[in-house]
């Protein structure tokens, strides 16, 4: 939704109480969006025209561009369309792609959400499909307008974290502050997910030591070894020129800074994109495909990582950045925690939290943790993050393949 300045000001001054939309499966959502999703790139334009008709409403566009059959893509689409923040779904199909559109439609309906399908080839082409889509979304917005809200506890929340545009401050301000936040959330019954194995190379032993048992410890260790091998096969790693310009010197330094986001609590399990953790606590998500390199880089951009966390069920994602990022997300809010005080001042419209105040104002990790928790409470009460207020709704979904792993395999 595009939030007006008056609405934002009112939200800042309102008494906060976390509220949520109760779904059929018992999960609770902090947003109630209508998703318009396309199942192949050929349907992108039609879906985009439908969604863009509702720039002042909470209608979000997502989609998958490929046409080869892929179980991973179908799982991701199902999990995104039945995310607790989603209230209704319009599926836009060309008609000849590989996606099992009728199965997806039925699964969404079985989840208790209003859902509709447009097949462009059967609908008569672009214009008639857009018109039909707008009529369908109008009805969905009406249907979900009176969705009842219930109280939301910290233990109901699943929160993820990623980093992008890291700099020399990241490992000493923003990332440890998010780690302290994760510790607090885990202690209060929430589920927290960190990931980026390619940015944890060198930390495999540290991760292994925090596992709840030796079997999981070995899986965490192997996850990082796999990431290292995959990146070497692709001739690519997670250390960018921008990281070096920002003051980072080695992948090990960057890895240790990234590792700080996970906090200090025991790791309960290893999960995968689109697979929900089956119990509360701290989880790591493996984003690197299994087997030999076949589809390309594990993550082509930060939004691919964010969407994978959302597909696991994350209500909200804490995004740490030093150089500065303007990425937001469809479906789930993204909260920017800025490590660099200069970047925060230069890009204040995009940044939610100034963790750089640890350097300039003598604040502690606990001080910033409390600011993050306060902001999570605001966002879970319906207030927009900076990226939401600016209208950011980025998304990315690509091919991947995993060997049938689930969170229960620990």
């Amino acid at each position: 939704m595009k939030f007006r300045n008056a609405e934002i000001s009112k939200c800042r001054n309102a008494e906060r109480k976390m509220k949520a939309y109760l779904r059929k499966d018992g999960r609770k959502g902090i947003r109630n969006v209508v998703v318009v999703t396309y199942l192949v790139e050929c349907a992108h334009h039609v879906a985009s025209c439908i969604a863009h008709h509702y720039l002042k409403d909470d209608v979000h566009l997502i989609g998958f561009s490929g046409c080869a059959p892929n179980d991973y893509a179908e799982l991701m689409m199902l999990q995104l369309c039945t995310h607790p923040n989603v209230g209704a779904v319009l599926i836009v199909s060309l008609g000849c792609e590989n996606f099992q559109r009728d199965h997806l439609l039925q699964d969404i309906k079985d989840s208790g959400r209003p859902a509709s399908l447009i097949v462009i080839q059967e609908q008569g082409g672009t214009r008639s499909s857009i018109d039909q889509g707008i009529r369908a979304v109008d009805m969905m917005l009406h249907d979900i307008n009176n969705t009842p809200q219930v109280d939301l506890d910290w233990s109901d929340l699943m929160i993820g974290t990623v980093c992008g545009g890291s700099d020399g401050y990241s490992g000493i301000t923003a990332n440890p502050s998010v780690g302290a936040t994760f510790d607090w959330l885990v202690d209060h019954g929430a589920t927290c997910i960190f990931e980026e194995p390619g940015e944890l190379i060198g930390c495999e032993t540290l991760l292994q030591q925090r596992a709840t048992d030796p079997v999981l410890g070995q899986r965490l260790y192997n996850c990082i070894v796999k990431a290292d091998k995959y990146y070497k096969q692709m001739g690519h790693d997670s250390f960018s020129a921008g990281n070096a310009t920002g003051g980072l010197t080695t992948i090990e330094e960057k890895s240790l800074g990234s590792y700080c986001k996970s906090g200090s609590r025991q790791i309960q399990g290893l999960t995968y994109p689109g697979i929900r953790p089956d119990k509360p606590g701290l989880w790591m998500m493996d984003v690197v495909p299994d087997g030999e390199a076949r589809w390309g880089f594990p993550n082509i951009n930060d939004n691919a990582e964010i969407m994978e966390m959302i597909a696991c069920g994350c209500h909200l994602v804490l995004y740490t950045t030093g150089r500065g990022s303007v990425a937001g997300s469809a479906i789930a809010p993204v909260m920017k925690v800025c490590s660099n005080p200069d970047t925060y001042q230069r890009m204040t419209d995009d940044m939610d939290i100034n963790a750089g105040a640890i350097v300039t104002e003598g604040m502690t990790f606990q001080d910033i943790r409390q600011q993050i928790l306060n902001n999570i409470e605001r966002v879970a009460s319906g207030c927009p993050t900076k990226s939401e207020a600016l209208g950011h709704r980025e998304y990315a979904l690509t091919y991947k393949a995993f060997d049938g792993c689930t969170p229960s395999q620990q």
Side-chain angles (χ1 to χ4, degrees):
M1 178 184 299
K2 281 194 171 181
F3 295 87
R4 294 183 293 272
N5 290 335
E7 292 171 333
I8 297 172
S9 178
K10 180 180 178 181
C11 194
R12 285 173 178 158
N13 297 325
E15 181 180 352
R16 296 189 300 271
K17 183 175 180 61
M18 293 196 295
K19 306 292 288 186
Y21 301 92
L22 183 62
R23 305 304 181 191
K24 183 179 177 180
D25 62 2
R27 292 189 293 166
K28 300 175 182 179
I30 63 172
R31 296 291 183 268
N32 197 31
V33 306
V34 173
V35 163
V36 177
T37 182
Y38 58 93
L39 303 184
V40 66
E41 187 63 24
C42 307
H44 190 162
H45 175 74
V46 169
S48 178
C49 287
I50 295 168
H52 289 169
H53 184 76
Y54 298 94
L55 291 179
K56 294 184 179 180
D57 296 293
D58 232 353
V59 178
H60 293 197
L61 176 71
I62 64 171
F64 180 71
S65 62
C67 197
N70 186 257
D71 291 341
Y72 168 81
E74 298 212 11
L75 170 66
M76 289 286 288
M77 190 62 72
L78 173 62
Q79 297 293 56
L80 291 169
C81 289
T82 58
H83 188 280
N85 288 356
V86 173
V89 180
L90 173 66
I91 302 170
V92 183
S93 161
L94 175 63
C96 55
E97 69 275 358
N98 278 282
F99 251 96
Q100 301 298 307
R101 58 179 179 269
D102 292 325
H103 290 167
L104 176 61
L105 176 66
Q106 190 58 53
D107 286 340
I108 296 169
K109 288 182 176 179
D110 290 345
S111 75
R113 293 166 172 81
S116 185
L117 168 67
I118 291 175
V119 181
I120 297 170
Q121 291 169 348
E122 298 174 4
Q123 187 65 36
T126 298
R127 292 186 185 277
S128 57
S129 296
I130 293 171
D131 290 343
Q132 178 59 28
I134 290 172
R135 287 193 292 270
V137 172
D138 281 344
M139 186 174 298
M140 290 175 184
L141 287 169
H142 178 268
D143 289 344
I144 69 172
N145 187 50
N146 295 317
T147 304
Q149 288 186 282
V150 296
D151 290 339
L152 181 74
D153 296 323
W154 292 105
S155 59
D156 295 317
L157 287 171
M158 185 183 298
I159 295 179
T161 186
V162 301
C163 54
S166 298
D167 71 353
Y169 284 103
S170 295
I172 59 176
T173 59
N175 290 355
S177 297
V178 168
T181 304
F182 266 25
D183 286 349
W184 190 96
L185 289 167
V186 167
D187 291 346
H188 287 77
T191 304
C192 295
I193 305 178
F194 68 102
E195 47 89 58
E196 296 172 308
E199 296 188 2
L200 291 169
I201 293 170
C203 298
E204 50 268 27
T205 301
L206 296 174
L207 294 167
Q208 184 178 29
Q209 292 170 347
R210 290 171 59 191
T212 53
D213 62 71
V215 174
L216 173 60
Q218 189 61 51
R219 291 183 64 219
L220 293 168
Y221 186 96
N222 293 343
C223 174
I224 307 304
V225 172
K226 178 181 69 170
D228 189 28
K229 178 182 177 182
Y230 199 100
Y231 279 116
K232 286 176 179 176
Q233 285 181 310
M234 298 303 299
H236 172 71
D237 59 36
S238 64
F239 195 91
S240 71
N243 295 148
T245 303
L248 291 173
T249 59
T250 63
I251 185 61
E252 289 82 6
E253 183 183 12
K254 184 177 181 181
S255 293
L256 286 170
S258 178
Y259 174 79
C260 292
K261 300 199 306 297
S262 67
S264 64
R265 299 299 183 259
Q266 275 196 315
I267 300 171
Q268 297 295 319
L270 181 66
T271 191
Y272 303 85
I275 304 294
R276 293 204 308 267
D278 55 11
K279 58 185 174 182
L282 180 66
W283 289 72
M284 180 175 171
M285 183 173 73
D286 184 0
V287 303
V288 179
D290 291 332
E292 297 302 312
R294 43 190 153 174
W295 292 113
F297 296 155
N299 284 98
I300 57 174
N301 54 52
D302 293 330
N303 280 97
E305 298 171 338
I306 292 171
M307 293 308 290
E308 288 170 347
M309 291 206 145
I310 296 171
C312 285
C314 287
H315 295 89
L316 181 147
V317 175
L318 302 177
Y319 187 128
T320 66
T321 183
R323 301 301 307 280
S325 170
V326 298
S329 175
I331 298 177
V334 171
M335 183 187 303
K336 302 287 178 40
V337 183
C338 187
S339 67
N340 189 313
D342 293 334
T343 301
Y344 179 84
Q345 294 300 325
R346 188 170 59 251
M347 300 181 65
T348 186
D349 286 346
D350 291 277
M351 302 295 135
D352 296 276
I353 303 291
N354 179 18
I358 291 172
V359 175
T360 58
E361 300 175 30
M363 288 191 175
T364 65
F365 299 142
Q366 287 70 33
D367 293 331
I368 303 301
R369 176 196 70 187
Q370 191 58 51
Q371 289 185 16
I372 296 172
L373 290 170
N374 289 344
N375 215 39
I376 292 174
E377 191 173 27
R378 289 181 62 255
V379 172
S381 306
C383 300
T385 63
K386 291 290 186 71
S387 65
E388 283 184 295
L390 291 167
H392 283 283
R393 296 175 182 175
E394 290 86 347
Y395 61 93
L397 179 60
T398 62
Y399 286 113
K400 285 190 180 181
F402 295 91
D403 295 333
C405 297
T406 67
S408 60
Q409 294 176 324
Q410 301 171 31

